[in-house]
Coordinates of all heavy atoms in Angstrom, one line a residue:
M1 N 93.7 125.9 129.7 CA 93.7 124.4 129.4 C 93.8 123.7 130.8 O 94.7 124.1 131.7 CB 95.0 124.0 128.6 CG 95.3 122.6 128.6 SD 96.8 122.2 127.7 CE 96.1 121.5 126.4
S2 N 92.9 122.8 131.0 CA 92.9 122.0 132.2 C 93.9 120.8 132.1 O 94.2 120.3 131.1 CB 91.6 121.4 132.5 OG 90.6 122.5 132.5
R3 N 94.6 120.6 133.3 CA 95.5 119.4 133.3 C 95.0 118.4 134.4 O 94.5 118.8 135.5 CB 96.9 119.8 133.6 CG 97.4 120.8 132.5 CD 98.8 121.2 132.6 NE 99.1 122.2 131.8 CZ 100.2 122.1 130.9 NH1 100.9 121.0 131.0 NH2 100.4 123.0 130.1
F4 N 95.1 117.2 134.0 CA 94.6 116.1 134.8 C 95.6 115.1 135.1 O 96.3 114.9 134.0 CB 93.3 115.5 134.3 CG 92.2 116.5 134.2 CD1 91.9 117.0 133.0 CD2 91.3 116.8 135.2 CE1 90.8 117.9 132.9 CE2 90.3 117.7 135.2 CZ 90.1 118.3 134.0
R5 N 95.8 114.4 136.1 CA 96.6 113.4 136.4 C 95.9 112.1 136.0 O 94.7 111.9 136.2 CB 97.0 113.2 137.9 CG 98.0 114.1 138.3 CD 98.6 113.8 139.5 NE 99.6 114.8 140.1 CZ 100.9 114.6 139.9 NH1 101.4 113.5 139.5 NH2 101.7 115.5 140.4
M6 N 96.6 111.1 135.4 CA 96.1 109.8 135.0 C 96.6 108.8 135.9 O 97.8 108.7 136.3 CB 96.4 109.5 133.6 CG 95.9 110.5 132.5 SD 96.3 110.0 130.8 CE 96.6 108.3 130.8
Y7 N 95.7 108.1 136.4 CA 96.0 106.9 137.3 C 95.4 105.8 136.6 O 94.4 105.2 137.0 CB 95.5 107.1 138.7 CG 96.1 108.2 139.4 CD1 95.2 109.5 139.5 CD2 97.3 108.1 139.8 CE1 95.9 110.5 140.2 CE2 97.9 109.3 140.6 CZ 97.2 110.5 140.7 OH 97.8 111.5 141.4
P8 N 96.2 105.1 135.6 CA 95.5 104.0 134.8 C 95.5 102.8 135.6 O 96.5 102.6 136.5 CB 96.3 103.9 133.7 CG 97.7 104.6 134.0 CD 97.3 105.6 135.0
S9 N 94.7 101.9 135.4 CA 94.6 100.5 135.9 C 95.8 99.8 135.4 O 96.4 100.2 134.4 CB 93.4 99.9 135.8 OG 93.2 99.5 134.4
P10 N 96.2 98.7 136.0 CA 97.2 98.0 135.3 C 96.9 97.5 133.9 O 97.8 97.4 133.0 CB 97.5 96.7 136.3 CG 96.9 97.2 137.6 CD 95.9 98.2 137.3
A11 N 95.7 97.1 133.6 CA 95.3 96.8 132.2 C 95.5 98.0 131.3 O 95.8 97.8 130.2 CB 93.9 96.1 132.2
Q12 N 95.0 99.1 131.8 CA 95.0 100.3 131.0 C 96.5 100.7 130.8 O 96.9 101.2 129.6 CB 94.4 101.5 131.6 CG 92.8 101.3 131.7 CD 92.2 102.3 132.5 OE1 92.7 102.9 133.5 NE2 90.9 102.6 132.1
A13 N 97.3 100.6 131.7 CA 98.8 100.9 131.6 C 99.5 100.0 130.5 O 100.2 100.4 129.7 CB 99.5 100.8 132.9
E14 N 99.1 98.7 130.6 CA 99.5 97.8 129.6 C 99.1 98.1 128.2 O 99.9 98.0 127.2 CB 99.1 96.4 130.0 CG 99.7 95.3 129.0 CD 101.2 95.1 129.2 OE1 101.7 95.3 130.2 OE2 101.8 94.7 128.0
Q15 N 97.9 98.5 128.0 CA 97.4 98.8 126.7 C 98.2 100.2 126.1 O 98.4 100.2 125.0 CB 95.9 99.1 126.8 CG 95.2 99.5 125.4 CD 95.4 98.4 124.5 OE1 95.2 97.2 124.9 NE2 95.6 98.6 123.2
M16 N 98.4 101.1 127.1 CA 99.2 102.4 126.6 C 100.5 102.0 126.2 O 101.1 102.6 125.3 CB 99.3 103.3 127.8 CG 97.9 104.1 128.0 SD 98.1 105.2 129.5 CE 96.6 105.2 130.2
L17 N 101.2 101.0 126.9 CA 102.6 100.6 126.6 C 102.5 99.9 125.1 O 103.4 100.1 124.4 CB 103.1 99.6 127.6 CG 103.5 100.3 128.9 CD1 103.9 99.4 130.0 CD2 104.7 101.4 128.7
T18 N 101.5 99.1 124.9 CA 101.3 98.5 123.7 C 101.1 99.5 122.5 O 101.7 99.5 121.4 CB 100.2 97.6 123.6 OG1 100.3 96.6 124.7 CG2 99.9 96.8 122.4
H19 N 100.4 100.5 122.8 CA 100.2 101.6 121.8 C 101.6 102.2 121.5 O 101.8 102.6 120.4 CB 99.3 102.8 122.3 CG 97.8 102.4 122.3 ND1 97.2 101.6 121.2 CD2 96.7 102.5 123.1 CE1 95.9 101.4 121.4 NE2 95.6 102.0 122.6
C20 N 102.3 102.6 122.6 CA 103.6 103.1 122.4 C 104.5 102.3 121.6 O 105.3 102.6 120.8 CB 104.3 103.5 123.7 SG 103.5 104.7 124.6
A21 N 104.5 100.9 121.9 CA 105.4 100.0 121.1 C 104.9 100.0 119.5 O 105.8 99.9 118.7 CB 105.2 98.6 121.6
H22 N 103.6 100.0 119.4 CA 103.2 100.1 117.9 C 103.6 101.2 117.2 O 104.2 101.2 116.1 CB 101.7 99.9 117.8 CG 101.2 98.6 118.1 ND1 100.0 98.3 118.8 CD2 101.7 97.3 117.9 CE1 99.8 97.1 119.0 NE2 100.8 96.4 118.4
A23 N 103.5 102.4 117.9 CA 104.0 103.8 117.3 C 105.5 103.8 117.1 O 105.9 104.2 116.0 CB 103.5 104.9 118.2
R24 N 106.2 103.2 118.1 CA 107.6 103.3 117.9 C 108.1 102.2 116.8 O 109.0 102.5 115.9 CB 108.4 102.8 119.2 CG 109.8 102.8 119.2 CD 110.4 102.4 120.6 NE 109.8 101.2 121.1 CZ 109.0 101.2 122.3 NH1 108.7 102.4 122.8 NH2 108.6 100.1 122.7
Y25 N 107.4 101.2 116.6 CA 107.7 100.2 115.6 C 107.4 100.8 114.2 O 108.2 100.7 113.3 CB 106.8 99.0 115.7 CG 107.0 97.8 114.7 CD1 108.1 97.2 114.7 CD2 106.1 97.7 113.7 CE1 108.3 96.0 113.8 CE2 106.3 96.7 112.7 CZ 107.4 95.8 112.7 OH 107.6 94.9 111.8
V26 N 106.3 101.5 114.0 CA 106.0 102.1 112.7 C 106.9 103.3 112.5 O 107.4 103.4 111.2 CB 104.5 102.7 112.9 CG1 104.2 103.5 111.6 CG2 103.5 101.5 112.8
W27 N 107.3 104.0 113.4 CA 108.3 105.1 113.3 C 109.6 104.6 112.8 O 110.2 105.0 111.8 CB 108.4 105.9 114.5 CG 109.5 106.9 114.6 CD1 110.9 106.7 114.7 CD2 109.4 108.3 114.3 NE1 111.6 107.8 114.6 CE2 110.6 108.9 114.3 CE3 108.4 109.1 114.1 CZ2 110.9 110.2 114.2 CZ3 108.6 110.6 114.0 CH2 109.9 111.0 114.0
N28 N 110.0 103.6 113.5 CA 111.4 102.9 113.1 C 111.3 102.3 111.6 O 112.3 102.3 110.9 CB 111.8 101.9 114.1 CG 112.3 102.6 115.4 OD1 112.6 103.8 115.3 ND2 112.4 101.8 116.5
L29 N 110.3 101.8 111.3 CA 110.1 101.4 109.9 C 110.1 102.4 108.9 O 110.7 102.3 107.9 CB 108.8 100.6 109.7 CG 108.7 99.1 110.3 CD1 107.2 98.5 110.0 CD2 109.7 98.2 109.6
A30 N 109.5 103.5 109.2 CA 109.6 104.8 108.3 C 111.0 105.3 108.3 O 111.5 105.6 107.1 CB 108.6 105.8 108.8
V31 N 111.7 105.4 109.3 CA 113.2 105.8 109.3 C 113.9 104.8 108.4 O 114.8 105.2 107.7 CB 113.7 105.8 110.7 CG1 115.1 106.0 110.7 CG2 113.0 106.9 111.5
E32 N 113.7 103.5 108.7 CA 114.5 102.5 107.9 C 114.2 102.6 106.4 O 115.1 102.5 105.6 CB 114.2 101.1 108.3 CG 115.0 100.1 107.7 CD 114.7 98.6 108.2 OE1 113.7 98.6 109.2 OE2 115.2 97.6 107.7
Q33 N 113.0 102.8 106.2 CA 112.6 102.9 104.7 C 113.3 104.1 104.0 O 113.7 104.0 102.9 CB 111.0 103.0 104.7 CG 110.5 102.9 103.3 CD 108.9 102.9 103.3 OE1 108.4 103.8 104.0 NE2 108.3 102.0 102.6
H34 N 113.2 105.2 104.7 CA 113.8 106.3 104.2 C 115.4 106.4 104.1 O 116.0 107.0 103.3 CB 113.4 107.7 104.9 CG 112.1 108.2 104.4 ND1 111.9 109.2 103.6 CD2 110.8 107.7 104.6 CE1 110.7 109.4 103.3 NE2 109.9 108.5 103.9
A35 N 116.0 105.6 105.0 CA 117.5 105.5 105.0 C 117.9 104.7 103.9 O 119.1 104.8 103.4 CB 117.9 104.7 106.4
H36 N 117.2 103.7 103.3 CA 117.6 102.9 102.1 C 117.4 103.7 100.8 O 117.8 103.2 99.8 CB 116.7 101.6 102.1 CG 117.2 100.6 103.2 ND1 118.4 100.2 103.3 CD2 116.6 100.3 104.3 CE1 118.5 99.3 104.2 NE2 117.4 99.4 104.9
W37 N 116.6 104.8 100.8 CA 116.5 105.6 99.5 C 117.7 106.4 99.3 O 118.2 107.0 100.1 CB 115.2 106.4 99.6 CG 114.1 105.8 98.8 CD1 113.8 106.2 97.5 CD2 113.2 104.8 99.2 NE1 112.8 105.3 97.1 CE2 112.3 104.5 98.1 CE3 113.2 104.1 100.3 CZ2 111.4 103.5 98.2 CZ3 112.2 103.0 100.3 CH2 111.3 102.8 99.2
R38 N 118.1 106.4 98.0 CA 119.4 107.3 97.5 C 118.9 108.2 96.5 O 117.8 108.1 95.9 CB 120.4 106.4 97.1 CG 121.0 105.5 98.2 CD 121.6 106.2 99.2 NE 122.1 105.4 100.3 CZ 121.6 105.3 101.6 NH1 120.8 106.2 101.9 NH2 122.1 104.5 102.5
R39 N 119.6 109.2 96.1 CA 119.2 110.3 95.2 C 119.0 109.6 93.8 O 118.2 110.1 93.1 CB 120.4 111.3 95.0 CG 120.7 112.1 96.3 CD 121.7 113.1 96.0 NE 122.2 113.7 97.2 CZ 121.7 114.9 97.7 NH1 120.8 115.5 97.0 NH2 122.2 115.5 98.8
W40 N 119.8 108.6 93.4 CA 119.6 108.1 92.0 C 118.4 107.1 91.9 O 117.9 106.7 90.9 CB 120.8 107.2 91.6 CG 121.1 106.1 92.6 CD1 120.7 105.0 92.5 CD2 122.1 106.1 93.6 NE1 121.1 104.0 93.4 CE2 122.0 104.8 94.1 CE3 122.9 107.1 94.1 CZ2 122.7 104.5 95.2 CZ3 123.5 106.8 95.3 CH2 123.6 105.5 95.9
R41 N 117.7 106.8 93.1 CA 116.5 106.1 93.0 C 115.3 107.0 93.0 O 115.3 108.3 93.1 CB 116.3 105.2 94.2 CG 117.4 104.2 94.3 CD 117.1 103.3 95.5 NE 118.2 102.3 95.7 CZ 118.4 101.5 96.8 NH1 117.5 101.7 97.9 NH2 119.3 100.8 96.8
R42 N 114.1 106.4 92.6 CA 112.8 107.2 92.7 C 112.7 107.8 94.1 O 113.2 107.3 95.1 CB 111.7 106.5 92.1 CG 111.4 105.3 92.9 CD 110.2 104.5 92.2 NE 110.0 103.3 92.9 CZ 109.2 103.1 93.9 NH1 108.4 104.0 94.3 NH2 109.0 101.8 94.5
S43 N 111.9 108.9 94.3 CA 111.7 109.4 95.6 C 111.1 108.4 96.6 O 110.5 107.5 96.3 CB 110.8 110.7 95.5 OG 109.5 110.3 95.1
A44 N 111.5 108.6 97.8 CA 111.0 107.8 98.9 C 109.4 108.0 99.0 O 108.9 109.1 98.6 CB 111.7 108.2 100.3
P45 N 108.8 107.0 99.6 CA 107.3 107.1 99.7 C 106.9 108.2 100.7 O 107.6 108.5 101.7 CB 106.8 105.7 100.2 CG 108.1 105.1 100.8 CD 109.2 105.8 100.1
G46 N 105.9 109.0 100.4 CA 105.3 110.0 101.2 C 104.3 109.5 102.2 O 104.2 108.3 102.4
F47 N 103.7 110.3 102.8 CA 102.7 110.0 104.0 C 101.6 109.1 103.4 O 101.2 108.1 104.0 CB 102.2 111.2 104.6 CG 101.0 111.0 105.6 CD1 101.3 110.4 106.8 CD2 99.8 111.3 105.3 CE1 100.3 110.0 107.7 CE2 98.7 111.1 106.2 CZ 99.0 110.4 107.4
A48 N 100.9 109.5 102.3 CA 99.8 108.7 101.7 C 100.3 107.3 101.4 O 99.5 106.4 101.7 CB 99.3 109.4 100.6
E49 N 101.4 107.1 100.7 CA 101.9 105.8 100.4 C 102.3 105.0 101.6 O 102.0 103.8 101.6 CB 103.1 105.9 99.4 CG 103.9 104.7 99.0 CD 102.9 103.7 98.3 OE1 101.9 104.2 97.7 OE2 103.2 102.6 98.2
Q50 N 102.9 105.6 102.5 CA 103.2 104.9 103.7 C 101.9 104.5 104.5 O 102.0 103.3 105.1 CB 104.1 105.8 104.7 CG 105.5 105.9 104.2 CD 106.4 106.7 105.1 OE1 105.9 107.6 105.7 NE2 107.6 106.3 105.3
C51 N 101.0 105.3 104.5 CA 99.6 104.8 105.1 C 99.0 103.6 104.4 O 98.5 102.7 105.0 CB 98.6 106.0 105.1 SG 99.0 107.2 106.3
R52 N 99.2 103.7 103.0 CA 98.7 102.4 102.2 C 99.5 101.2 102.6 O 99.0 100.2 102.8 CB 98.8 102.8 100.8 CG 98.2 101.7 99.9 CD 98.5 101.8 98.3 NE 99.9 101.7 98.1 CZ 100.6 100.5 98.2 NH1 100.0 99.4 98.4 NH2 102.0 100.5 97.9
Q53 N 100.8 101.3 102.7 CA 101.7 100.2 103.1 C 101.3 99.9 104.6 O 101.5 98.6 104.8 CB 103.1 100.7 103.0 CG 103.7 100.8 101.6 CD 105.0 101.5 101.5 OE1 105.6 101.8 102.5 NE2 105.5 101.6 100.3
L54 N 101.1 100.8 105.4 CA 100.7 100.3 106.7 C 99.4 99.5 106.7 O 99.4 98.5 107.5 CB 100.4 101.6 107.5 CG 99.9 101.3 109.0 CD1 101.1 100.6 109.9 CD2 99.6 102.7 109.7
T55 N 98.5 99.7 106.0 CA 97.3 99.0 105.8 C 97.7 97.6 105.5 O 97.1 96.6 106.0 CB 96.3 99.6 104.8 OG1 96.0 100.9 105.3 CG2 95.0 98.8 104.7
E56 N 98.5 97.4 104.5 CA 98.9 96.1 104.0 C 99.7 95.3 105.2 O 99.5 94.2 105.3 CB 99.9 96.1 102.8 CG 99.0 96.6 101.6 CD 100.0 96.8 100.3 OE1 101.3 96.6 100.5 OE2 99.6 97.2 99.4
A57 N 100.5 96.1 105.8 CA 101.2 95.5 107.0 C 100.5 95.1 108.1 O 100.6 94.0 108.7 CB 102.4 96.4 107.4
R58 N 99.3 95.8 108.3 CA 98.4 95.5 109.4 C 97.7 94.2 109.1 O 97.4 93.4 109.9 CB 97.5 96.5 109.7 CG 98.1 97.9 110.4 CD 97.0 98.9 110.5 NE 95.8 98.6 111.1 CZ 95.5 98.5 112.4 NH1 96.5 98.6 113.3 NH2 94.4 98.0 112.8
Q59 N 97.4 94.0 107.8 CA 96.8 92.8 107.5 C 97.6 91.5 107.5 O 97.2 90.4 107.8 CB 96.2 92.9 105.9 CG 95.0 93.9 105.9 CD 94.6 94.3 104.5 OE1 95.2 93.7 103.6 NE2 93.5 95.0 104.3
A60 N 99.0 91.7 107.2 CA 99.9 90.7 107.2 C 100.5 90.4 108.6 O 100.9 89.2 108.8 CB 101.0 91.0 106.2
N61 N 100.4 91.3 109.5 CA 101.1 91.0 110.7 C 100.0 91.2 111.9 O 99.4 92.2 112.1 CB 102.1 92.2 111.0 CG 102.9 92.0 112.2 OD1 102.5 91.5 113.2 ND2 104.2 92.2 112.1
E62 N 99.7 90.1 112.6 CA 98.7 90.0 113.6 C 99.0 91.0 114.7 O 98.0 91.6 115.2 CB 98.6 88.5 114.1 CG 97.4 88.4 115.0 CD 97.3 86.9 115.6 OE1 97.8 86.0 114.8 OE2 96.8 86.8 116.7
W63 N 100.2 91.1 115.2 CA 100.6 92.0 116.3 C 100.3 93.4 115.9 O 99.7 94.1 116.7 CB 102.1 91.7 116.7 CG 102.6 92.6 117.7 CD1 102.3 92.5 119.1 CD2 103.3 93.9 117.7 NE1 102.9 93.7 119.8 CE2 103.5 94.4 118.8 CE3 103.8 94.5 116.5 CZ2 104.2 95.6 119.1 CZ3 104.6 95.7 116.7 CH2 104.7 96.2 118.0
L64 N 100.8 93.8 114.8 CA 100.6 95.2 114.4 C 99.1 95.4 114.0 O 98.5 96.6 114.4 CB 101.4 95.5 113.1 CG 101.5 96.9 112.6 CD1 102.2 97.7 113.7 CD2 102.3 96.9 111.3
G65 N 98.4 94.4 113.5 CA 97.0 94.6 113.3 C 96.1 94.8 114.5 O 95.0 95.2 114.4
S66 N 96.5 94.2 115.6 CA 95.8 94.3 116.8 C 95.8 95.6 117.5 O 95.0 95.9 118.4 CB 96.3 93.2 117.8 OG 97.6 93.6 118.3
G67 N 96.7 96.5 117.0 CA 96.8 97.7 117.6 C 96.0 98.8 116.9 O 95.2 98.5 116.1
N68 N 95.9 100.0 117.4 CA 94.9 101.1 117.0 C 95.6 101.7 115.8 O 96.8 102.2 115.8 CB 94.8 102.0 118.1 CG 93.8 103.1 117.8 OD1 93.7 103.5 116.7 ND2 93.2 103.6 118.8
A69 N 94.8 101.8 114.6 CA 95.3 102.3 113.4 C 95.6 103.8 113.6 O 96.4 104.3 112.8 CB 94.4 102.0 112.3
D70 N 94.9 104.5 114.4 CA 95.0 106.0 114.5 C 96.3 106.3 115.1 O 97.1 107.2 114.7 CB 93.9 106.6 115.4 CG 92.5 106.5 114.6 OD1 92.5 106.6 113.3 OD2 91.5 106.5 115.4
V71 N 96.8 105.5 116.1 CA 98.0 105.7 116.8 C 99.1 105.5 115.9 O 100.2 106.2 115.8 CB 98.2 104.7 118.1 CG1 99.6 104.8 118.6 CG2 97.2 105.1 119.0
Q72 N 99.1 104.5 115.1 CA 100.0 104.1 114.1 C 100.2 105.2 113.0 O 101.2 105.5 112.6 CB 99.8 102.7 113.5 CG 99.9 101.6 114.5 CD 99.4 100.3 114.1 OE1 99.1 100.1 112.9 NE2 99.2 99.3 115.1
Q73 N 99.1 105.6 112.5 CA 98.9 106.7 111.3 C 99.4 108.0 112.0 O 100.2 108.7 111.2 CB 97.7 106.8 110.8 CG 97.3 105.7 109.9 CD 96.0 105.9 109.1 OE1 95.2 106.9 109.6 NE2 95.6 105.1 108.2
Q74 N 99.4 108.2 113.3 CA 99.8 109.4 113.8 C 101.3 109.4 113.9 O 102.0 110.4 113.7 CB 99.2 109.7 115.1 CG 99.6 111.0 115.8 CD 99.1 112.2 115.0 OE1 98.0 112.2 114.8 NE2 100.0 113.1 114.9
A75 N 101.9 108.2 114.1 CA 103.3 108.1 114.1 C 103.9 108.3 112.7 O 105.0 109.1 112.6 CB 103.8 106.7 114.5
L76 N 103.2 107.9 111.7 CA 103.6 108.2 110.3 C 103.5 109.8 110.1 O 104.3 110.3 109.4 CB 102.8 107.5 109.2 CG 103.1 105.9 109.2 CD1 102.2 105.3 108.2 CD2 104.5 105.8 108.8
K77 N 102.3 110.3 110.6 CA 102.3 111.9 110.4 C 103.3 112.5 111.0 O 103.9 113.6 110.5 CB 100.9 112.2 110.9 CG 100.4 113.5 110.4 CD 99.0 113.9 111.0 CE 98.0 113.1 110.3 NZ 96.7 113.4 110.7
D78 N 103.7 112.1 112.3 CA 104.8 112.8 113.0 C 106.1 112.7 112.2 O 106.9 113.6 112.2 CB 104.9 112.3 114.4 CG 103.7 112.6 115.3 OD1 102.8 113.5 115.0 OD2 103.6 112.0 116.3
F79 N 106.3 111.3 111.7 CA 107.5 111.2 110.8 C 107.6 112.1 109.7 O 108.6 112.7 109.4 CB 107.6 109.8 110.4 CG 108.9 109.4 109.5 CD1 110.0 109.3 110.2 CD2 108.8 109.5 108.2 CE1 111.3 109.1 109.4 CE2 109.9 109.3 107.5 CZ 111.0 109.0 108.1
A80 N 106.4 112.3 109.0 CA 106.5 113.2 107.9 C 106.7 114.6 108.2 O 107.5 115.3 107.5 CB 105.1 113.0 107.1
K81 N 106.1 115.0 109.3 CA 106.4 116.4 109.8 C 107.8 116.5 110.2 O 108.4 117.6 109.8 CB 105.5 116.7 111.0 CG 105.5 118.0 111.5 CD 104.6 118.2 112.6 CE 104.5 119.5 113.3 NZ 103.7 119.7 114.3
A82 N 108.5 115.6 110.9 CA 109.8 115.7 111.3 C 110.8 115.6 110.0 O 111.8 116.4 109.8 CB 110.3 114.6 112.1
K83 N 110.4 114.9 109.0 CA 111.2 114.9 107.8 C 111.1 116.1 106.9 O 112.1 116.6 106.5 CB 110.6 113.7 106.8 CG 111.4 113.2 105.8 CD 112.6 112.5 106.2 CE 113.4 112.0 104.9 NZ 114.7 111.4 105.2
N84 N 110.0 116.8 107.0 CA 109.8 118.1 106.3 C 110.5 119.1 106.9 O 110.9 120.3 106.4 CB 108.3 118.3 106.0 CG 107.7 117.6 105.1 OD1 108.3 117.0 104.2 ND2 106.4 117.4 105.2
A85 N 110.6 119.1 108.3 CA 111.2 120.2 109.1 C 112.7 119.9 109.4 O 113.4 120.7 110.2 CB 110.4 120.2 110.5
R86 N 113.4 118.9 108.8 CA 114.7 118.6 109.1 C 115.7 119.6 108.8 O 116.7 119.8 109.6 CB 115.0 117.3 108.4 CG 115.2 117.5 107.0 CD 115.5 116.0 106.3 NE 115.6 116.1 104.8 CZ 114.6 116.0 104.0 NH1 113.4 115.9 104.4 NH2 114.8 116.1 102.7
F87 N 115.5 120.6 107.9 CA 116.4 121.7 107.6 C 116.1 122.9 108.5 O 117.1 123.5 108.9 CB 116.3 122.1 106.1 CG 116.7 120.9 105.2 CD1 115.8 120.4 104.3 CD2 118.0 120.3 105.2 CE1 116.0 119.4 103.4 CE2 118.3 119.2 104.4 CZ 117.4 118.8 103.6
T88 N 114.9 123.1 108.9 CA 114.6 124.3 109.7 C 114.6 124.0 111.2 O 114.7 125.0 111.9 CB 113.2 124.8 109.3 OG1 112.2 123.8 109.4 CG2 113.2 125.3 107.7
S89 N 114.4 122.8 111.7 CA 114.3 122.5 113.1 C 115.6 122.7 113.8 O 115.8 122.8 115.0 CB 113.6 121.2 113.2 OG 114.4 120.2 112.9
G90 N 116.8 122.2 113.1 CA 118.0 122.2 113.8 C 118.4 120.7 114.3 O 119.3 120.6 114.9
F91 N 117.4 119.8 114.2 CA 117.6 118.5 114.7 C 118.0 117.5 113.6 O 118.5 116.4 113.9 CB 116.2 117.9 115.3 CG 115.8 118.6 116.4 CD1 114.8 119.5 116.5 CD2 116.6 118.6 117.7 CE1 114.4 120.2 117.6 CE2 116.2 119.3 118.9 CZ 115.1 120.0 118.8
G92 N 117.9 117.9 112.4 CA 118.4 116.9 111.3 C 117.4 115.9 111.0 O 116.2 116.0 111.3
E93 N 117.9 114.8 110.3 CA 117.0 113.6 110.0 C 116.5 113.0 111.1 O 117.1 112.9 112.2 CB 117.9 112.7 109.2 CG 118.4 113.1 107.8 CD 117.3 113.1 106.7 OE1 116.4 112.3 106.8 OE2 117.4 114.0 105.9
P94 N 115.3 112.5 110.9 CA 114.7 111.7 112.2 C 115.5 110.5 112.3 O 116.0 109.9 111.5 CB 113.3 111.4 111.5 CG 112.9 112.4 110.4 CD 114.3 112.8 109.9
T95 N 115.5 110.2 113.6 CA 116.4 108.9 113.9 C 115.5 107.9 114.6 O 114.3 108.1 114.9 CB 117.5 109.4 114.9 OG1 117.0 109.9 116.1 CG2 118.4 110.3 114.1
W96 N 116.2 106.8 115.0 CA 115.5 105.6 115.6 C 114.9 106.0 117.0 O 115.5 106.9 117.6 CB 116.5 104.5 115.7 CG 116.9 103.9 114.5 CD1 117.9 104.2 113.8 CD2 116.3 102.8 113.8 NE1 118.2 103.5 112.7 CE2 117.1 102.6 112.7 CE3 115.1 102.0 114.0 CZ2 116.7 101.6 111.8 CZ3 115.0 101.1 113.1 CH2 115.6 100.9 111.9
R97 N 113.9 105.4 117.4 CA 113.3 105.6 118.8 C 113.5 104.2 119.4 O 113.2 103.1 118.8 CB 111.9 105.9 118.6 CG 111.7 107.3 118.2 CD 110.3 107.7 118.2 NE 110.1 109.1 117.8 CZ 108.8 109.7 117.7 NH1 107.7 109.0 117.9 NH2 108.8 110.9 117.3
M98 N 113.9 104.2 120.6 CA 114.1 103.1 121.4 C 113.0 102.8 122.4 O 112.3 103.6 122.8 CB 115.5 103.1 122.2 CG 116.6 103.3 121.4 SD 116.9 101.7 120.6 CE 118.4 102.1 119.7

């Protein structure tokens, strides 16, 4: 595997930070959504349902809609993976990202 250093221009660095902000926002929404679910309620939404909700949120929110959908869906995919591995990974429930 080759490794390369990245020297982004100021505009590229700003775009990367925006991608990170969008991914963190989507992750934290997923954490909050799952935190509100309880055993006596119907099950919390899975990855597919959260992707559908993300599409609606992107249409309703200009800031979120301006971001890359692939980055945001990858954050949901990472959340689903962390949620499924919470018992075997030793890290427990997914938590907030700052």
Side-chain angles (χ1 to χ4, degrees):
M1 170 186 247
S2 298
R3 296 188 188 236
F4 300 95
R5 286 191 179 259
M6 290 178 37
Y7 297 104
S9 68
Q12 290 171 328
E14 183 64 33
Q15 185 63 40
M16 287 183 212
L17 289 174
T18 303
H19 286 319
C20 292
H22 288 143
R24 184 174 50 251
Y25 181 78
V26 169
W27 173 279
N28 287 340
L29 282 177
V31 169
E32 181 180 4
Q33 191 176 42
H34 278 258
H36 287 293
W37 256 262
R38 299 291 178 247
R39 292 181 195 267
W40 59 86
R41 294 184 183 167
R42 60 187 172 93
S43 63
F47 173 70
E49 175 63 19
Q50 285 181 323
C51 284
R52 188 190 63 73
Q53 292 172 357
L54 176 62
T55 301
E56 292 175 4
R58 287 175 49 81
Q59 292 170 354
N61 185 325
E62 184 179 334
W63 176 78
L64 193 60
S66 68
N68 187 325
D70 292 332
V71 171
Q72 297 166 11
Q73 284 184 350
Q74 185 63 47
L76 288 177
K77 193 178 292 185
D78 292 343
F79 176 80
K81 187 176 177 182
K83 191 74 175 168
N84 290 336
R86 68 186 179 272
F87 298 117
T88 58
S89 69
F91 293 109
E93 291 285 330
T95 57
W96 293 92
R97 290 186 175 172
M98 298 289 181

